[in-house]
Amino acid sequence: MTHDAFANLLSNVIAAAIFSAIGIVLFIIAFVIFDKITPGSLWKELIEDRNQALGNLMGAVAIALAIIIAASVH
């Protein structure tokens, strides 16, 4: 592997790490905003009351947010 190829690979890895971090932060912010705009406490419903339907809904929301953030970061 030449020096230029290694430098190019390193810059791509660093860019991927930075964009991954940005995506994770955006995902957390979006999830917290979603929690704030919905009535009641989502965490109480999920953890204490073990609301399976809400868990399925939040899983779908998480996947949707991840797809949107991945598309915007890409």
Side-chain angles (χ1 to χ4, degrees):
M1 184 177 274
T2 65
H3 178 65
D4 291 336
F6 181 74
N8 190 23
L9 176 66
L10 183 62
S11 69
N12 287 339
V13 168
I14 291 171
I18 290 170
F19 283 118
S20 295
I22 291 170
I24 290 169
V25 168
L26 288 174
F27 179 80
I28 291 170
I29 290 170
F31 201 82
V32 168
I33 289 171
F34 188 79
D35 186 22
K36 296 291 183 195
I37 63 174
T38 54
S41 173
L42 294 178
W43 291 113
K44 179 188 174 296
E45 285 288 325
L46 287 171
I47 304 300
E48 292 177 14
D49 298 339
R50 301 180 62 90
N51 188 337
Q52 193 171 20
L54 181 61
N56 291 339
L57 174 68
M58 293 310 295
V61 168
I63 291 170
L65 285 173
I67 290 171
I68 292 168
I69 292 169
S72 67
V73 169
H74 180 46

